[in-house]
Amino acid sequence: MYAAFERALLAAGPSDEEIAARLAAQPGERWRELFALADALTPADLEVTWRGGQEAGPGVTQAPYPVYGDAVERILGLLGELGVVVVFGWPDWVRGNPLWPGGRGLEDAPVADAARLATAIVRGERFGDGTIGHALETGTLQAVLRRLRRWHDEERPR
């Protein structure tokens, strides 16, 4: 039953093959920049600071929000530029999916699932502050980057 449900969800978005083709069409220099940034990440880069939360006026409190480091922000930007973030029904896809959180099993999944997981992380932040921070803490974003690198280095059509 779940397999039929998953196929229906994925039918609303691009197929594995379409996502892989979109990724393969991206310029090598952007991929190299992404992987260089990923390689250079330090524990300090993975730290998330929270701002806001103070009273802005009587009875009005600004909601706290996460602030990510420059390297993480650039990685997120490159994921968008490279077409890794795709349009599909990601909220339903992550529910009960063993890839979320932590990226467990992503190394054996199609590269399209790395794109879908990246989408859930990036888009999830818009609906829940701290989603990216959680993905950094659990290693989910790092698993996405490792899977993209393996695809780029070993599986991408030349």
Side-chain angles (χ1 to χ4, degrees), residues 7 16 27 34 43 60 64-66 72 82 87 94 106 109 117-118 120 140 153:
R7 279 193 304 276
D16 289 0
L34 176 69
V60 178
Y65 59 93
V72 169
L82 286 163
V87 177
V94 296
L106 188 59
L117 191 52
T140 308
D153 293 348

Side-chain angles (χ1 to χ4, degrees), residues 142-156:
Q142 296 90 321
V144 166
L145 294 169
R146 283 191 305 273
R147 180 63 184 100
L148 289 170
R149 182 191 304 261
R150 194 178 106 223
W151 168 82
H152 179 271
D153 293 348
E154 300 173 15
E155 303 166 19
R156 178 177 56 111

